[in-house]
């Protein structure tokens, strides 16, 4: 690998500022979510990449706690939607009502009009209700009666779900899965972390006790500064070849789309900035390809029956696709 590209002092300052805010948020969340630094950092990369996050795991592993801690660490508008089978699309996006005293119709915004929206157990709602999020997650607006209503910026949907083989769940539509920048799992804590959870009860910090360490306005500024991270032409080429390889493997029925390429690039830039680097490395692509791309793949029935997962496919792709040995990055 050759020496890093030259960069301006301004870009160095902006990445250093992002890195400082990034780690302050991670430290704050870790006051409650013990022993999950890697998971917390993935969630924060998603936040600064202005993407949406899907947290999938079995009940009781801290999915909702992680989402609430992240929201509590930012001074911003926060809304929570508990997804249930009887939830209607208008319960999320809002509804237009007729005001008899003025003789006009008025749009009443739903909970989706917040900076951070927690969709708890999103796969317990019907597919019709889940689809109510499609427009706002992609276009950051809600169209009601022909009028577009933009949501505030920054805007992030933090959704949790239980594994789809659990009772009372509906699989998310492929189009909605593709709108999540990442899907991550929390997993069980290690022994020491679980002991720390027990010994701290009942006086341990809770999401409600956390103090915000940044504001929505600062997050919006840092999201813009992450776009200044430099990416070499060879790294663009490598990233695209990684995504394109998911479309050609025999075990994959549907590979990652160009939306996946864009999502991976945004996440790569944020990871570099979070480490105070104004330039991206191939290691950033390798570290994030799984969380960003695996949930976008649809495997063949034969591959699923054999126990293959999207993560297995991404690992195979990363082991096969190589960076051009003569390229500068």
């Amino acid at each position: 690998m050759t020496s890093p590209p030259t960069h301006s002092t301004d870009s160095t300052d902006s990445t250093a500022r992002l890195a400082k805010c990034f780690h302050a948020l991670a430290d704050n969340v870790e006051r409650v979510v013990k022993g999950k630094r890697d998971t917390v950092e993935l969630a924060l990369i998603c936040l600064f990449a202005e993407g949406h996050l899907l947290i999938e795991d079995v009940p009781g592993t801290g999915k909702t706690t992680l989402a609430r801690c992240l929201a509590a660490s930012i001074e911003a508008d926060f809304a929570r939607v508990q997804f249930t089978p009887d939830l209607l699309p208008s319960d999320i996006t809002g509804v237009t009502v007729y005001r008899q005293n003025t003789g006009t119709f008025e749009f009443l915004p739903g909970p989706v009009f917040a900076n951070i929206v927690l969709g708890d157990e999103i796969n317990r709602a019907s597919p019709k209700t889940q689809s109510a999020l499609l427009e706002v997650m992609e276009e950051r607006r809600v169209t009601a009666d022909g009028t577009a209503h933009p949501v505030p910026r920054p805007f992030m949907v933090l959704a949790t779900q239980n594994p789809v083989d659990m009772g009372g769940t509906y699989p998310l539509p492929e189009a909605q899965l593709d709108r999540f920048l990442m899907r991550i799992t929390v997993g069980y804590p290690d022994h020491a972390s679980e002991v720390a959870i027990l010994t701290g009860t009942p006086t341990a910090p809770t999401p409600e006790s956390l103090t915000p360490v940044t504001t929505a306005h600062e997050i919006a500024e840092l999201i813009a500064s992450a776009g200044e991270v430099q990416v070499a032409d060879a790294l663009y080429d490598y990233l695209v070849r990684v995504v394109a390889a998911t479309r050609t493997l025999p075990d994959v029925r549907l590979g990652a789309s160009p939306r996946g390429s864009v999502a991976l690039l945004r996440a790569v830039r944020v990871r570099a900035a979070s480490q105070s680097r104004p330039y991206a490395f191939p290691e950033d692509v390798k570290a994030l390809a799984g969380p960003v791309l695996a949930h976008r793949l649809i495997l063949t029935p034969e591959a699923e029956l054999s126990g293959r997962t999207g993560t297995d496919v991404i690992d195979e792709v990363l082991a096969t696709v190589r960076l051009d040995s003569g390229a500068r990055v």
Side-chain angles (χ1 to χ4, degrees):
M1 181 178 294
T2 59
S3 59
T6 58
H7 50 83
S8 67
T9 303
D10 288 345
S11 63
T12 303
D13 292 343
S14 62
T15 52
R17 184 179 165 209
L18 189 151
K20 180 179 179 181
C21 182
F22 184 98
H23 292 291
L25 282 168
D27 292 341
N28 204 46
V29 172
E30 270 205 312
R31 292 178 58 203
V32 177
V33 183
K34 306 287 187 182
K36 294 294 177 182
R37 183 73 178 201
D38 290 345
T39 302
V40 171
E41 290 190 354
L42 284 175
L44 291 174
I45 288 173
C46 197
L47 170 68
F48 284 101
E50 204 173 13
H52 308 296
L53 178 65
L54 179 61
I55 310 173
E56 181 184 63
D57 219 319
V58 297
T61 52
K63 303 185 299 296
T64 305
T65 299
L66 171 59
R68 289 171 58 205
C69 288
L70 184 56
S73 300
I74 303 168
E75 189 176 317
D77 291 334
F78 170 69
R80 174 174 177 166
V81 181
Q82 188 68 48
F83 280 72
T84 56
D86 60 347
L87 193 72
L88 298 175
S90 58
D91 294 330
I92 300 172
T93 59
V95 64
T96 300
V97 298
Y98 179 71
R99 297 295 188 187
Q100 190 169 4
N101 59 333
T102 61
T104 59
F105 289 92
E106 179 183 351
F107 178 71
L108 300 181
V112 78
F113 286 85
N115 296 114
I116 298 179
V117 180
L118 169 57
D120 200 25
E121 299 197 35
I122 188 173
N123 61 335
R124 292 198 180 276
S126 67
K128 178 181 179 180
T129 301
Q130 292 174 12
S131 298
L133 290 170
L134 290 177
E135 179 187 15
V136 71
M137 289 177 68
E138 178 66 15
E139 303 177 32
R140 289 173 168 78
R141 67 178 186 180
V142 171
T143 301
D145 298 322
T147 302
H149 304 274
V151 295
R153 305 293 286 268
F155 172 69
M156 181 185 191
V157 174
L158 266 167
T160 69
Q161 74 167 5
N162 295 315
V164 295
D165 57 350
M166 299 195 70
T169 61
Y170 300 87
L172 295 184
E174 289 82 0
Q176 186 168 345
L177 273 176
D178 200 39
R179 280 163 168 76
F180 284 102
L181 189 142
M182 288 188 197
R183 181 178 66 184
I184 63 175
T185 59
V186 178
Y188 294 112
D190 58 34
H191 178 80
S193 298
E194 193 161 0
V195 169
I197 293 171
L198 296 181
T199 55
T201 304
T203 59
T206 63
E208 292 79 11
S209 67
L210 295 182
T211 302
V213 298
T214 187
T215 64
H217 178 69
E218 184 178 15
I219 293 293
E221 290 182 344
L222 295 176
I223 286 171
S225 70
E228 300 173 6
V229 171
Q230 298 182 41
V231 179
D233 290 343
L235 196 56
Y236 282 121
D237 175 77
Y238 174 64
L239 187 153
V240 170
R241 286 192 289 113
V242 166
V243 175
T246 67
R247 307 165 191 160
T248 60
L249 294 178
D251 285 343
V252 180
R253 184 158 54 93
L254 182 65
S257 68
R259 182 187 283 141
S261 303
V262 174
L264 183 55
L265 176 62
R266 296 201 327 253
V268 160
R269 281 193 159 113
V270 172
R271 185 176 189 268
S274 72
Q275 298 178 8
S276 300
R277 284 187 281 113
Y279 44 83
F281 283 158
E283 288 74 16
D284 298 318
V285 176
K286 295 175 182 178
L288 296 172
V292 174
L293 299 179
H295 66 285
R296 304 172 192 270
L297 309 182
I298 300 178
L299 305 188
T300 63
E302 295 79 13
E304 291 180 343
L305 286 173
S306 66
R308 292 269 282 170
T309 65
T311 301
D312 295 332
V313 171
I314 297 301
D315 290 342
E316 180 182 337
V317 166
L318 293 176
T320 305
V321 179
R322 304 289 185 183
L323 184 73
D324 184 354
S325 60
R328 288 175 59 90
V329 294

